[in-house]
Amino acid sequence: MQPDANAPLHRLARVAAHLNPQMEEGAPALRPAACRAKGGAPGFKVAILGAAGGIGQPLSMLMKMNPLVSVLHLYDVVNTPGVTADVSHMDTGAVVRGFLGAQQLDAALTGMDLVIIPAGLPRKPGMTRDDLFNKNAGIVRTLCEGVARCCPDAIVNLISNPVNSTVPIAAEVFKKAGTYNPKRLLGVTILDVVRANTFVAEVLGVNPRDVSVPVVGGHAGVTILPLLSQVTPPSSFTQEEIKYLTNRIQNGGTEVVEAKAGAGSATLSMAFAAAKFGDACLRAMRGDAGIVECSYVASEVTELPFFATKVRLGRAGAEEILPLGPLNEFERVGLEAAKKELSESIQKGIAFVNK
Ligand SMILES: NC(=O)C1=CN([C@@H]2O[C@H](COP(=O)(O)OP(=O)(O)OC[C@H]3O[C@@H](n4cnc5c(N)ncnc54)[C@H](O)[C@@H]3O)[C@@H](O)[C@H]2O)C=CC1
Ligand SMILES: O=C([O-])CC(=O)C(=O)O
C-alpha cells in the first residue's frame, strides 16, 4: 500500500527533511524538493556566497523577498545555519537552504542560475580597496572554481573587492576551466550609481528615484567616473557642484568606512544595490526587454579588457555593452586617470591566476 501523502506524521517528516538535509541520506523520498508547496514555484535558483556577512545577511533577506527567486542557497564558511534558519521563516515563496564550509560549496552551487558573491574581507579606515587583494583574490578564485565545476552556465554578480581586479581573476579562472563566457560575468558597480543618484538628487532638490546617473570606469577612487553631463533628466551643474559631486561619488565608500570607524564598510546600501542589480539580472533572464544597468564587464569600449559602462541585460547576461556617449572635457580628463589605474588593477588580477 502506498503511504498516505497527507498523513500528518509523513508531512512532518518531509518538513524535517527540508530543515536538515542530512536526513536525505537513506530517505530519498523525503528530499526537500518533495516538500509540499516547496521548490515547485517557477523561478530562478540563486546562490549567495558570503551569505553570513555584513552584506550577505541583508542581501539574503532581500533576495528571499524577490518573487522571481524559487530557491535560495546561502553559503559561507561561518554562521550559515543561523542565517538560514532566520531567513527561511519569512513567508515568501523561495525555498532557503544553508551550506557551511568548503566541503558544501559544490552542493551550494549545483544547479544555480545566478550566483552573487559578497565573500571576503571589507576595508578598515586608512585602507584602499587594493589592500584587500591579498586576502580576497584567493577567496574569489576558490569560489569561481566552484562555479566553473558546478554551475558553469550561471550568471555571476561579483561584489568582493577590489572589483577592478577580482573580475579579471574570475575571468581567468573560467578561461582555465574552459567555461568562460564574458556575458555571464558581471562586476557589481551599481552602488556607485545608487550613490550618484542620491547625491545628485540632493543637489537638484528632487526625488532620487527620478534621477539616473551613469557611472563608468571601475569601482575604486578615480576609476569611479560619474558622467554628470549625461544625467537624466537633463540637468546642468556649476563647476563647483561638478567637483563636489564627483569627489563625493568617488569617495562614497570611504565616507562609510570612516563613519563605521573600523566596523567595516557599506553593507546595507550595498545589499540594497546588489538586490536591485540581482533583480535586474533575473528580470532579463526571464526575457524582459530594455533592462540597462551599469556594470564592470569584459568590454571593447576602451582599449582596456574590462570597463564599467551601461550594459543591456538579457537572457544570456550582458548582451550589449553600450558606448560611453559624448564626454565633456572634465570627464575626458577623468577617463584618462581612470584608465591608468584600471589597467594596473586588471593586470594584477590576471597575473594572480597565471603566476
Ligand atoms: N562592489 C561593491 O560595491 C562593494 C563591495 N564590497 C566588498 O564586499 C565584500 C564583503 O563585505 P562585507 O559583507 O562587509 O564583509 P564581512 O566580513 O561582513 O562578510 C564577508 C563574509 O565573507 C565570508 N567569507 C570569507 N571567506 C569566505 C569563503 N572562502 N567562502 C565563503 N565566504 C567567505 C565571511 O565568513 C563573511 O561572512 C568585501 O570585500 C567588501 O570590500 C563592499 C561594499 C561595496
Ligand atoms: O569602500 C569599500 O571598501 C566598500 C565599497 O566598495 C563601497 O562601499 O563602495
Side-chain angles (χ1 to χ4, degrees):
M1 212 174 108
Q2 291 294 313
D4 178 4
N6 292 321
L9 275 176
H10 191 70
R11 288 194 215 174
L12 287 177
R14 285 190 295 179
V15 173
H18 167 65
L19 288 174
N20 178 8
Q22 307 300 347
M23 279 190 64
E24 284 185 74
E25 284 185 16
L30 303 183
R31 277 215 283 274
C35 267
R36 197 164 57 97
K38 297 276 190 186
F44 294 101
K45 295 180 177 153
V46 177
I48 299 178
L49 312 183
I55 296 166
Q57 291 202 33
L59 179 57
S60 300
M61 181 183 83
L62 292 168
M63 295 313 286
K64 170 75 167 122
M65 292 165 65
N66 190 313
L68 293 177
V69 180
S70 59
V71 173
L72 183 61
H73 282 191
L74 305 183
Y75 172 81
D76 204 302
V77 291
V78 292
N79 297 337
T80 35
V83 176
T84 305
D86 192 352
V87 170
S88 73
H89 289 186
M90 294 167 63
D91 62 348
T92 61
V95 176
V96 186
R97 300 187 187 117
F99 300 85
L100 181 65
Q103 68 286 4
Q104 295 191 358
L105 177 62
D106 287 12
L109 287 171
T110 300
M112 293 298 108
D113 301 305
L114 173 68
V115 179
I116 311 179
I117 311 184
L121 260 62
R123 282 200 285 166
K124 288 192 186 319
M127 292 171 76
T128 66
R129 290 179 181 81
D130 185 60
D131 292 336
L132 301 169
F133 187 97
N134 288 342
K135 288 277 185 212
N136 291 355
I139 293 173
V140 168
R141 176 170 59 188
T142 303
L143 296 176
C144 289
E145 284 167 353
V147 170
R149 257 192 325 273
C150 303
C151 53
D153 293 333
I155 287 176
V156 173
N157 291 177
L158 189 46
I159 297 172
S160 316
N161 270 318
V163 168
N164 291 353
S165 300
T166 54
V167 169
I169 288 171
E172 290 303 303
V173 169
F174 296 149
K175 277 183 204 165
K176 274 188 189 293
T179 66
Y180 184 48
N181 178 341
K183 291 182 182 167
R184 293 199 290 260
L185 175 58
L186 300 159
V188 177
T189 58
I190 190 175
L191 179 55
D192 301 315
V193 174
V194 164
R195 287 179 177 137
N197 293 345
T198 304
F199 304 154
V200 165
E202 260 170 35
V203 166
L204 296 176
V206 299
N207 187 329
R209 288 184 194 277
D210 299 331
V211 176
S212 176
V213 186
V215 184
V216 302
H219 181 66
V222 297
T223 73
I224 299 169
L225 187 62
L227 300 182
L228 297 171
S229 65
Q230 295 182 24
V231 168
T232 50
S235 313
S236 59
F237 302 95
T238 65
Q239 282 307 312
E240 196 188 359
E241 285 169 341
I242 289 171
K243 279 196 183 135
Y244 160 79
L245 283 168
T246 302
N247 182 56
R248 185 140 188 235
I249 294 162
Q250 289 183 333
N251 293 300
T254 306
E255 182 179 320
V256 179
V257 168
E258 284 170 1
K260 291 199 174 180
S265 55
T267 53
L268 303 173
S269 52
M270 181 62 245
F272 167 80
K276 205 170 175 182
F277 192 71
D279 179 64
C281 289
L282 294 176
R283 283 185 287 116
M285 288 158 74
R286 175 176 68 177
D288 290 11
I291 298 183
V292 172
E293 297 289 352
C294 288
S295 178
Y296 181 64
V297 291
S299 168
E300 292 179 355
V301 162
T302 70
E303 63 275 26
L304 300 174
F306 297 92
F307 199 80
T309 49
K310 284 186 184 173
V311 304
R312 188 177 55 75
L313 299 169
R315 288 189 198 276
E319 289 192 345
E320 187 188 1
I321 315 292
L322 301 180
L324 276 174
L327 306 187
N328 62 27
E329 180 56 22
F330 182 80
E331 292 161 352
R332 276 196 295 275
V333 171
L335 176 63
E336 291 313 309
K339 284 197 296 191
K340 188 165 178 297
E341 183 174 322
L342 261 178
S343 170
E344 288 163 17
S345 304
I346 293 168
Q347 284 317 315
K348 190 170 173 179
I350 294 172
F352 173 78
V353 181
N354 294 304
K355 70 179 177 223

